[in-house]
Amino acid sequence: MSPEQPRVLVVGVGGREHAIADALSRSPRNPLLFCHPGNPGILELSLPLNPASDAPSDIVAASLRAGVQLVVVGPEAYLAAGLVDACRQAGIPAFGPTRDAARIETSKGWAKAVMQRAGAPTATYSRFTEPSALRLHLQEREGPVVVKADGIAAGKGVLVTADHAEAAAFADAYLASGSPVIVEEKLEGPEVSFFALVSGEVVLPLGCARDYKRAYYGDEGPNTGGMGAICPPDLPPNLIGKLTESIVRPVAREMARSGSPFTGVLYAGLMLTERGPYVLEFNARFGDPETQVLLPRLRTDLLDLVEAVAGGDLREQGIELADDYTCGVTIASAGYPMSGGAPQPVTLGEAPADTVLYHAGTRFTPEGALEASGGRVFTAVGRGATEKQARERAYALARQVSFEGAWYRSDIGA
Ligand code: AMP
Ligand code: GLY
């Protein structure tokens, strides 16, 4: 990249992309950031790219016009649409996997097969395309089952239930829309999200965070994209080394061996069972809201890291994380995760020290006022020397955000 002011595009609209843009903007190399589609928070740090459409070819064309030298892709939908492939074809290095390698997230069946070949522990499963075969399978099983849509579902396409009639009804909705379904054994234990940068067979662990997936207090209610996160979670000693060697490295090696080398960040959603860590799923991108609590603690220059991954010269160097704690609270609009909610004007009070507010579902009205557009609207992040301090600061910040119908879980990190 040009030594003067590297031009970097961040693709996505969420709190995750705001945290990525924030970390890139802290680079001593002083990058000129562009965003697409962006949000009002990201736009404080970057210029809008304004491609003719959201299609990869138009994003690439606009990137070439703007002199973009590196594209960092946040959400899985752009990976699945082949944005990284399109960037590479145009000679622009991109952080993220090709559409082919993104199948580690976008096809659970494909991911399970890779894990089996790599020897990475994961729940046993069966895959169905027909309601009758699925019902027959459920009749033969006892106890709780986990039903998953075999495709992108933003964390929402999963049902854990002991009620097999409910399992079948849930599966029917996906089967009817043409999406195959996976039924797998239920695992038990605390969950953790593990992130590692991967470039072919080179693996560089970034760290772990804990995501709060259920909508309501006490881990009740439906699964969501994530209602909050903490970093670092309380983990057994040496877990990161173990996860790297027993899970991520073998999977990266198997993907490279079988002709689908991964580049980007590999996110293992894990359950720490009595039998050891098991993979619930892989994602081919950073987590949301985990990124909002992980990246503020990253002391190594994120720009150097993503550039090395995209350019194929990642080294297994050490990375430095700050010696503190972060807590992120998702502030959602009324109706989330069931419905979007009507747009609402937002008022922001004074942010307390050691906090940062990441925007997600916000936008400007034509008059330039900030409004909540629905879904997950903000992540309020607090940092501190202890988990408690981080949590108190996150909630102090959350209380400074107001819009009609705003709500959040009160037990993140508690
Ligand atoms: P996934 O989209 O596969 O990460 O699943 C979303 C959530 O469903 C996970 O975070 C878990 O809480 C739950 N889940 C998924 N698979 C299993 C499993 N095999 N056993 C127990 N819970 C699961
Ligand atoms: N926090 C869950 C996800 O990003 O998929």
Side-chain angles (χ1 to χ4, degrees), residues 108 112 122-124 145-148 153-160 184-189 191 211 213-214 223-224 267 269-271 279-283:
K108 290 192 194 280
K112 286 280 192 186
T122 186
T124 56
V145 292
V146 181
V147 185
K148 300 184 179 185
K156 288 174 240 167
V158 178
L159 178 71
V160 183
E184 64 178 36
E185 70 175 308
K186 181 178 183 247
L187 301 171
E188 309 260 6
E191 284 184 47
D211 178 20
K213 289 206 168 71
R214 298 297 194 102
N223 263 315
T224 70
Y267 156 2
L270 300 152
M271 201 163 253
V279 181
L280 295 177
E281 62 164 359
F282 274 110
N283 293 310

Side-chain angles (χ1 to χ4, degrees), residues 8-360:
V8 183
L9 170 66
V10 177
V11 177
V13 287
R16 165 182 53 204
E17 288 77 22
H18 190 182
I20 291 171
D22 187 30
L24 291 172
S25 73
R26 288 195 297 273
S27 168
R29 294 164 62 194
N30 185 30
L32 179 62
L33 299 182
F34 291 84
C35 67
H36 171 72
N39 66 36
I42 300 173
L43 281 165
E44 285 174 17
L45 305 168
S46 62
L47 301 167
L49 184 72
N50 292 326
S53 83
D54 202 35
S57 56
D58 283 327
I59 296 173
V60 168
S63 296
L64 290 170
R65 280 197 299 277
V68 166
Q69 295 151 299
L70 173 63
V71 176
V72 181
V73 184
E76 60 276 21
Y78 289 96
L79 302 172
L83 178 56
V84 169
D85 310 65
C87 289
R88 292 207 191 140
Q89 270 157 28
I92 309 175
F95 177 85
T98 59
R99 176 168 29 194
D100 175 58
R103 282 183 294 169
I104 196 74
E105 168 164 6
T106 59
S107 166
K108 290 192 194 280
W110 192 83
K112 286 280 192 186
V114 171
M115 285 186 256
Q116 268 171 1
R117 292 200 304 272
T122 186
T124 56
Y125 75 104
S126 309
R127 186 169 177 272
F128 300 94
T129 52
E130 296 293 335
S132 53
L134 179 121
R135 282 186 164 67
L136 211 59
H137 174 81
L138 287 174
Q139 274 168 19
E140 288 164 5
R141 288 185 71 130
E142 282 177 25
V145 292
V146 181
V147 185
K148 300 184 179 185
D150 187 13
I152 293 180
K156 288 174 240 167
V158 178
L159 178 71
V160 183
T161 181
D163 177 344
H164 290 191
E166 187 190 15
F170 180 83
D172 283 349
Y174 287 102
L175 293 172
S177 69
S179 164
V181 159
I182 278 172
V183 178
E184 64 178 36
E185 70 175 308
K186 181 178 183 247
L187 301 171
E188 309 260 6
E191 284 184 47
V192 63
S193 304
F194 174 53
F195 299 92
L197 298 176
V198 175
S199 177
E201 298 200 13
V202 183
V203 176
L204 183 59
L206 281 179
C208 286
R210 175 156 294 132
D211 178 20
Y212 291 71
K213 289 206 168 71
R214 298 297 194 102
Y216 310 129
Y217 181 89
D219 287 333
E220 297 290 337
N223 263 315
T224 70
M227 293 306 297
I230 56 164
C231 184
D234 187 22
L235 297 174
N238 306 326
L239 185 73
I240 289 186
K242 198 164 154 189
L243 297 176
T244 305
E245 299 313 324
S246 69
I247 293 179
V248 175
R249 195 184 299 285
V251 164
R253 202 170 275 157
E254 173 56 27
M255 290 182 75
R257 190 202 62 78
S258 59
S260 302
F262 189 91
T263 43
V265 59
L266 201 50
Y267 156 2
L270 300 152
M271 201 163 253
L272 308 180
T273 76
E274 283 178 352
R275 291 176 282 167
Y278 270 61
V279 181
L280 295 177
E281 62 164 359
F282 274 110
N283 293 310
R285 50 167 175 86
F286 277 112
D288 187 342
E290 292 97 319
T291 305
Q292 293 92 302
V293 291
L294 179 66
L295 291 187
R297 298 186 54 239
L298 181 67
R299 285 229 178 104
T300 310
D301 185 358
L302 182 66
L303 178 57
D304 287 345
L305 292 173
V306 294
E307 184 183 38
V309 171
D313 50 14
L314 184 68
R315 287 175 301 117
E316 298 203 354
Q317 62 179 79
I319 64 140
E320 207 190 330
L321 290 177
D323 188 18
D324 63 356
Y325 293 84
T326 46
C327 174
V329 176
T330 300
I331 305 174
S333 64
Y336 181 78
M338 275 71 80
S339 64
Q344 299 292 346
V346 175
T347 323
L348 299 179
E350 184 105 1
D354 294 309
T355 64
V356 50
L357 186 67
Y358 290 122
H359 289 236

